[in-house]
Amino acid sequence: MPPTILICSQDAELYLLLAHILRSEGFEARLAASDDDVADACASAELSAVVLDCAGWPSDVAPLCALLKDSRLPVAALIGENTRAQHLQLIKAGLDEGIARPLSPSKLLAFLHGIGPQSGASTLSNFAGAAEIVFAPHAVVVLGKKVVLAPTEMRILKFLLDRQGQISTRKQLIEAVWSDPHAVENRTVDVHIGRLRKAFAGLRNLRIRTVYGSGYALDTTIDLRMS
């Protein structure tokens, strides 16, 4: 059975376009045009991800995004010029990916393929023995502790790990992590870093340090064996 993607939109033409694109990539699309439709879909179908069309949605999309994240669903939002103010609210509500309009199908598909099932967890080879970090779908395991992360936080963590101990500016993070850097503000990076810090709050040997006026650096007491 193909993965089902819930499209939350009141634009019938957009839904038909997305349904065609998704079918060509092996996904199945389902339409939700109201909050009640979303609730019905979550209760009656096994969903793989949700795409929120912010334009013209009849209610506040931030609480809807938070509700979907409580259901542990990956969520992307289509952000137009007149809905940019909602972007930070959506990120705080748990949004995984913001995709700027006009819609780029390749960016949407990259998000969907990125959250799809993978053949298995991937281990960073430069971690030694039991002191390893393992990336799995939707989660990372550090020293045996599983931490659920959104795709954007996963990409930020990988970038900081690759530059372990070095300062990464917000501009570097934006260009490395987001498919549309021009649509991302510095504040957006700060919110995602805050979510990463909260996720790793119980791990004393993995810390993201703020370098005021410069950016962020990942510090760790985990013994690294550089390859």
Side-chain angles (χ1 to χ4, degrees):
M1 185 175 179
T4 300
I5 310 302
L6 186 66
I7 309 296
C8 303
S9 178
Q10 293 204 324
D11 186 335
E13 292 185 3
L14 174 66
Y15 170 72
L16 291 173
L17 172 63
L18 291 178
H20 173 72
I21 293 171
L22 294 179
R23 277 195 298 270
S24 68
E25 292 289 323
F27 297 98
E28 188 66 37
R30 175 168 175 167
L31 176 64
S34 68
D35 288 356
D36 288 341
D37 287 349
V38 175
D40 289 344
C42 290
S44 63
E46 185 173 341
L47 304 175
S48 294
V50 179
V51 177
L52 289 175
D53 178 19
C54 295
W57 191 254
S59 64
D60 189 351
V61 290
L64 179 61
C65 179
L67 180 65
L68 291 166
K69 292 306 299 178
D70 285 343
S71 300
R72 308 186 78 82
L73 285 168
V75 180
L78 307 183
I79 308 295
E81 288 294 334
N82 60 341
T83 55
R84 292 284 175 86
Q86 294 176 313
H87 198 181
L88 270 180
Q89 291 180 333
L90 285 166
I91 291 172
K92 291 177 181 178
L95 182 70
D96 298 307
E97 195 77 44
I99 302 173
R101 285 176 174 269
L103 173 66
S104 168
S106 62
K107 292 173 184 175
L108 174 60
L109 292 173
F111 165 73
L112 294 176
H113 286 304
I115 55 91
Q118 299 178 13
S119 57
S122 60
T123 304
L124 245 65
S125 61
N126 60 334
F127 276 76
E132 65 180 9
I133 182 168
V134 179
F135 287 91
H138 317 310
V140 61
V141 181
V142 181
L143 300 177
K145 177 181 173 62
K146 182 179 179 181
V147 181
V148 177
L149 294 178
T152 300
E153 275 89 55
M154 195 87 76
R155 294 195 295 270
I156 291 174
L157 178 62
K158 287 181 178 179
F159 182 78
L160 292 174
L161 280 170
D162 287 341
R163 296 169 53 83
Q164 192 266 331
Q166 301 179 48
I167 298 172
S168 297
T169 66
R170 291 174 177 84
K171 181 178 179 181
Q172 288 173 323
L173 284 163
I174 289 171
E175 291 177 349
V177 170
W178 278 269
S179 56
D180 187 6
H182 300 293
V184 182
E185 301 176 353
N186 286 343
R187 176 59 180 153
T188 302
V189 178
D190 298 338
V191 172
H192 282 288
I193 290 290
R195 285 166 59 176
L196 265 177
R197 283 173 168 157
K198 184 177 180 180
F200 290 107
L203 291 173
R204 295 181 180 180
N205 49 11
L206 197 67
R207 182 174 72 95
I208 299 175
R209 172 168 49 91
T210 299
V211 183
Y212 291 99
S214 298
Y216 297 100
L218 186 143
D219 295 329
T220 178
T221 57
I222 296 175
D223 182 27
L224 296 178
R225 180 183 300 158
M226 302 306 295
S227 57

